[in-house]
Amino acid sequence: MELMEAIKGRRSIRKFTDEPIAPETIDKLVEAAMWAPSGQNLQPWYFVVLTKEEDLAYLFSELGTTAFSERKRLEERFKNNPEIIEETMEFMKAMGGARTIMLAFLNKPNYSEEMLPSCIESVSAAMQNVCLMAYAEGLGSCWVEAVCRAGDALQERFAPDHGKLIGGIILGHPAMEARPIKRKDGRYEIR
C-alpha cells in the first residue's frame, strides 16, 4: 500500500467484530508508534494496549460515568444532527465492540509548561502512525479523546508512574464500512 493511499483511505471505524488482533500485529502497531518524530527526540510517549477483558471492562465502566457530561457537550456541538449524538453515545458504551484499545500517555508527569505542547504533538504523531499502520494491516481504528474525561482513573490504574492521558485509539477488525468524508476547502495557502 502506498502512503497516500493509507492517508486518504484511513477513516474512523466505530463498529468492530469480536475477532482479536493477532499479537504480532499489535507489535507492529506499537513499533509504528515508536518511530514517530518527536520534538528534541524526547520520545515522550507511553502506551498501554488493553486486550484483557477485565481491563476493558474497567475502561468501559469509567467511560460510563462520564457519559452524561459527554452528552451535554455533544448536544451543544451537534444541535442540527441529533443522530450523531445517539451514534456517539452508543459507541461510547463499549467502544464499538473493540477488543483492543491503546491508551496514549505522556511518559512522565512533570514536563515543563514550556515543553508540554511539543510533547503532546509528539504523542499525537505517534498515535497517527498507529492509525495509519492499522489501516495498512487491514484493521479499523478510531482516535478518541473521550477517554481523557476519565483520565485520572485510567492513569492511576494503567500508568501510575507516567504523565497525563493524551488520548486513545480503538482498534479492531471492522464490522462496518467507513463513511466518506468531504474535505473542507480554504484550509491552506501556499506562499
Side-chain angles (χ1 to χ4, degrees), residues 52-63:
K52 294 179 183 171
E53 191 62 41
E54 61 270 18
D55 289 336
L56 294 169
Y58 180 83
L59 175 83
F60 299 150
S61 173
E62 288 301 315
L63 288 176

Side-chain angles (χ1 to χ4, degrees), residues 25-36 102 129-130 133:
T25 304
I26 291 174
D27 290 342
K28 284 183 182 179
L29 299 174
V30 172
E31 182 180 8
M34 298 301 110
W35 280 96
M102 178 183 274
N129 278 10
V130 171
M133 180 56 77

Side-chain angles (χ1 to χ4, degrees), residues 69-148:
S69 61
E70 183 69 10
R71 176 177 278 284
K72 290 209 169 287
R73 188 180 71 80
L74 290 170
E75 286 171 351
E76 290 174 21
R77 167 78 171 86
F78 296 106
K79 291 176 186 167
N80 298 325
N81 301 94
E83 70 281 0
I84 292 176
I85 299 165
E86 295 311 317
E87 181 182 305
T88 302
M89 295 307 295
E90 184 64 29
F91 173 70
M92 283 186 60
K93 287 180 187 174
M95 295 288 138
R99 309 310 318 146
T100 303
I101 299 175
M102 178 183 274
L103 300 176
F105 297 87
L106 289 175
N107 193 36
K108 60 183 186 177
N110 57 354
Y111 288 109
S112 70
E113 288 296 318
E114 178 183 293
M115 297 289 296
L116 199 55
S118 175
C119 292
I120 291 170
E121 291 164 2
S122 298
V123 175
S124 298
M127 293 174 71
Q128 176 70 0
N129 278 10
V130 171
C131 291
L132 290 172
M133 180 56 77
Y135 182 75
E137 291 292 316
L139 298 172
S141 67
C142 186
W143 182 324
V144 293
E145 55 83 31
V147 296
C148 295

